[in-house]
């Protein structure tokens, strides 16, 4: 108990204590708290699909037909034709042989990595990879080598030095990074994985639905589908729903069905959610203007910030505004909140010391006038605080 009390005390003194804040509801890029409206730059509903009428009616129809719970895991009686349809559709969408649905992206990474790797294997992982990847690696008991963020020279250095000491090796990276909104150097990574005989798993959580001709992600955009072994992603971000997928060769998918513990030992997703996910994929196909507008607006937002002399990275719908000091960032996020923007400070240890930032997650519903006003609000708030 002492340890717990001490932990909480430390969190509070360091300004890192977290609390839950229940929202009333959300719609069209806005979120309501205590009856007050905020423009939401913290959500991942990038295409604004979570309240799309087609998604909602597909879910309601499936609820009437199938009831709510799946009532068992997939390997018992929780499996349904809808699950198989979604797996087929996802595999086609991503251009791979087979697909498998996981209950969330977190469970997917945990279950995939811990099934693929074991003690005596090596895993090469980008330093900024998501916590679910890190936890999957820990659970696998493989030896972890972290390469500097998006640094293929460092990755190659590690591969050269370490690869031949291990029988099997896996390289893992996100394709769009959640904290910096930057893209991984996929082509270079693919070449390294081939040269050093590794498997490659990529996480398209923030890319699915947005990049590539058919919106399937960065792997498609870069034309590297054939050369990436496993691609995972979630239905919970741009696709506005819930659950996750992995696609790859039939043999690997069969292996995961038989060995991935987070897949085997968890109740299947409700058929209504699966039905929503099927509809999400259709919406990505039928409404490509959403992703086009989103990326154009993100480019506009970055341009406007650069005009005001902010240095802005990346080309994605995630726009980090790096301000440096944690205090500065917390203060700005509070002031923006007072002006009706819901945006969170990202601070160490999530990002390196001296790189505290506000992270803006853009949505299709954030029109240019909103973004323009936001930039001018940011500037006037920063100006105000330096005058004081
Ligand atoms: C959000 C996220 C996940 C987890 O997905 P959930 O479906 O929310 O569990 C995994 N990887 C990355 C990179 C993410 O951003």
């Amino acid at each position: 108990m002492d340890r717990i009390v001490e932990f909480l005390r430390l969190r509070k003194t360091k300004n890192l204590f977290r609390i839950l804040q229940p929202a009333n509801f959300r719609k069209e890029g806005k979120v309501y708290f205590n009856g007050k409206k905020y423009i939401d730059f913290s959500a991942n509903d990038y295409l604004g699909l979570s309240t799309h009428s087609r998604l909602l009616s597909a879910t309601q129809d499936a609820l009437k037909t199938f009831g709510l719970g799946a009532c068992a895991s997939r390997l018992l009686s929780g499996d349904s034709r809808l699950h198989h349809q979604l797996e087929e559709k996802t595999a086609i969408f991503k251009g791979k042989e087979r697909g498998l649905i996981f209950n969330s992206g977190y469970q997917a990474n945990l279950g995939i990595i811990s099934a693929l790797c074991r003690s005596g294997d090596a895993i090469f992982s980008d330093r900024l990879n998501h916590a679910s990847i890190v936890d999957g690696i820990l659970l696998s008991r493989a030896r972890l080598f972290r390469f500097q963020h998006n640094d293929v020279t460092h990755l190659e250095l590690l591969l050269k030095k370490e690869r031949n000491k291990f029988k099997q090796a896996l390289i893992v990276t996100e394709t769009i990074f959640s904290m910096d909104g930057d893209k991984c150097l996929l082509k270079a990574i693919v070449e390294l994985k081939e040269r050093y005989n590794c498997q490659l798993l990529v996480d398209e959580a923030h890319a699915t639905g947005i990049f590539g001709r058919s919106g399937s992600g960065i792997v498609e955009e870069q034309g590297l589908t054939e050369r990436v072994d496993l691609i995972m992603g979630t239905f919970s971000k741009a696709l506005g729903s819930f659950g996750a997928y992995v696609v790859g060769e039939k043999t690997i998918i069969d292996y995961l069905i038989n060995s991935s513990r987070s897949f085997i030992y968890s109740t299947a997703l409700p058929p209504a959610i699966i039905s929503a996910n099927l509809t999400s994929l259709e919406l990505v196909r039928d409404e490509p203007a959403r992703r086009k507008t989103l990326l154009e607006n993100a480019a506009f937002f970055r341009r406007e910030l650069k005009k005001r002399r902010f240095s802005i990275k990346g080309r994605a719908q995630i726009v980090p505004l790096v301000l440096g000091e944690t205090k500065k960032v917390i203060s700005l996020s509070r002031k923006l909140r007072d002006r009706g923007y819901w945006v969170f400070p990202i601070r160490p240890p999530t990002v390196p010391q001296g790189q505290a930032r506000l992270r803006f997650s853009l949505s299709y519903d954030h029109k240019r006038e909103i973004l323009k006003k936001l930039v001018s609000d940011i500037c006037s708030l920063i100006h105000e605080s330096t005058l004081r």
Side-chain angles (χ1 to χ4, degrees):
M1 202 54 199
D2 285 355
R3 205 191 319 168
I4 292 171
V5 172
E6 180 59 15
F7 172 90
L8 294 174
R9 193 189 64 77
L10 261 180
R11 279 286 160 114
K12 282 178 186 159
T13 55
K14 287 186 183 165
N15 245 334
L16 292 172
F17 187 68
R18 301 190 195 211
I19 51 161
L20 293 165
Q21 301 174 82
N24 304 120
F25 71 99
R26 62 167 64 252
K27 190 156 174 87
E28 288 162 0
K30 297 177 219 66
V31 61
Y32 294 74
F33 288 95
N34 299 320
K36 191 169 177 320
K37 179 176 85 178
Y38 297 88
I39 302 170
D40 188 6
F41 288 98
S42 71
N44 306 309
D45 189 14
Y46 300 127
L47 298 176
L49 295 185
S50 74
T51 49
H52 196 289
S53 58
R54 267 175 70 185
L55 205 66
L56 302 184
S57 59
T59 315
Q60 280 156 0
D61 291 349
L63 270 177
K64 281 185 205 132
T65 313
F66 299 99
L68 180 57
C71 306
S73 67
R74 292 282 300 281
L75 289 169
L76 299 179
S77 64
D79 200 14
S80 78
R81 281 223 342 272
L82 286 175
H83 288 81
H84 289 257
Q85 264 175 34
L86 181 61
E87 285 167 349
E88 274 162 40
K89 259 205 171 172
T90 307
I92 293 168
F93 179 55
K94 303 289 293 188
K96 290 302 237 187
E97 197 177 6
R98 285 291 157 91
L100 187 65
I101 304 306
F102 279 83
N103 288 3
S104 71
Y106 184 85
Q107 291 184 47
N109 278 330
L110 212 67
I112 296 163
I113 300 171
S114 63
L116 281 182
C117 302
R118 59 177 74 158
S119 162
D121 293 346
I123 301 178
F124 298 85
S125 172
D126 189 289
R127 255 187 66 96
L128 289 192
N129 274 344
H130 192 257
S132 55
I133 297 175
V134 176
D135 292 355
I137 294 171
L138 286 174
L139 197 59
S140 78
R141 299 173 186 221
R143 178 79 183 276
L144 167 64
F145 299 98
R146 292 203 307 172
F147 55 94
Q148 297 302 325
H149 174 55
N150 231 350
D151 184 344
V152 286
T153 313
H154 187 221
L155 171 60
E156 175 152 31
L157 206 77
L158 288 174
L159 286 166
K160 212 175 252 168
K161 186 153 164 258
E162 307 289 348
R163 171 64 188 99
N164 61 11
K165 299 177 191 160
F166 298 87
K167 237 166 116 181
Q168 294 206 42
L170 176 73
I171 300 173
V172 197
T173 184
E174 295 179 30
T175 55
I176 293 291
F177 286 90
S178 59
M179 289 304 148
D180 287 30
D182 52 348
K183 229 182 253 189
C184 77
L185 302 169
L186 191 60
K187 180 118 193 295
I189 292 175
V190 163
E191 279 161 8
L192 287 175
K193 91 115 193 157
E194 287 168 354
R195 189 159 345 127
Y196 290 90
N197 185 28
C198 304
Q199 280 186 302
L200 174 60
L201 165 66
V202 303
D203 180 333
E204 299 239 69
H206 295 279
T208 307
I210 296 169
F211 292 91
R213 254 187 71 109
S214 65
S216 89
I218 294 295
V219 180
E220 178 195 17
E221 184 199 71
Q222 306 279 311
L224 293 166
T225 303
E226 293 289 311
R227 297 163 73 187
V228 177
D229 301 286
L230 284 168
I231 310 167
M232 67 76 64
T234 87
F235 293 101
S236 61
K237 290 181 174 151
L239 298 184
S241 177
F242 196 71
Y245 67 83
V246 62
V247 295
E249 275 177 20
K250 177 178 186 300
T251 319
I252 305 187
I253 299 300
D254 283 343
Y255 174 71
L256 291 175
I257 292 171
N258 283 275
S259 63
S260 181
R261 293 166 67 85
S262 66
F263 172 80
I264 298 170
Y265 296 106
S266 196
T267 300
L269 283 180
I273 293 294
I274 301 295
S275 175
N277 295 350
L278 280 161
T279 308
S280 282
L281 291 181
E282 284 171 14
L283 288 170
V284 168
R285 182 195 62 203
D286 297 345
E287 301 187 9
R290 285 182 183 258
R291 58 180 174 271
K292 188 160 168 276
T293 305
L294 170 70
L295 289 177
E296 283 168 2
N297 286 349
F300 170 79
F301 183 49
R302 267 194 303 272
R303 260 198 325 273
E304 290 293 309
L305 285 168
K306 279 180 188 162
K307 268 193 217 159
R308 316 285 184 114
R309 303 221 170 74
F310 291 107
S311 86
I312 302 293
K313 287 193 270 189
R315 290 201 287 125
Q317 74 283 8
I318 300 165
V319 181
L321 181 66
V322 179
L323 296 169
E325 279 172 62
T326 302
K327 256 202 198 141
K328 226 162 129 184
V329 174
I330 293 175
S331 143
L332 182 59
S333 79
R334 288 207 180 117
K335 288 177 187 162
L336 282 170
R337 193 157 296 179
D338 292 340
R339 292 202 181 187
Y341 302 101
W342 201 258
V343 55
F344 278 87
I346 312 279
R347 52 207 152 176
T350 308
V351 291
Q353 279 298 336
Q355 289 190 33
R357 66 195 63 184
L358 288 177
R359 185 181 60 156
F360 296 92
S361 289
L362 268 51
S363 152
Y364 167 74
D365 292 307
H366 298 139
K367 303 297 180 225
R368 292 202 180 191
E369 306 80 75
I370 293 175
L371 299 173
K372 210 162 180 170
K373 176 81 169 46
L374 170 59
V375 173
S376 97
D377 281 338
I378 290 171
C379 288
S380 70
L381 287 172
I382 287 181
H383 189 60
E384 232 172 63
S385 65
T386 50
L387 285 183
R388 237 185 270 137

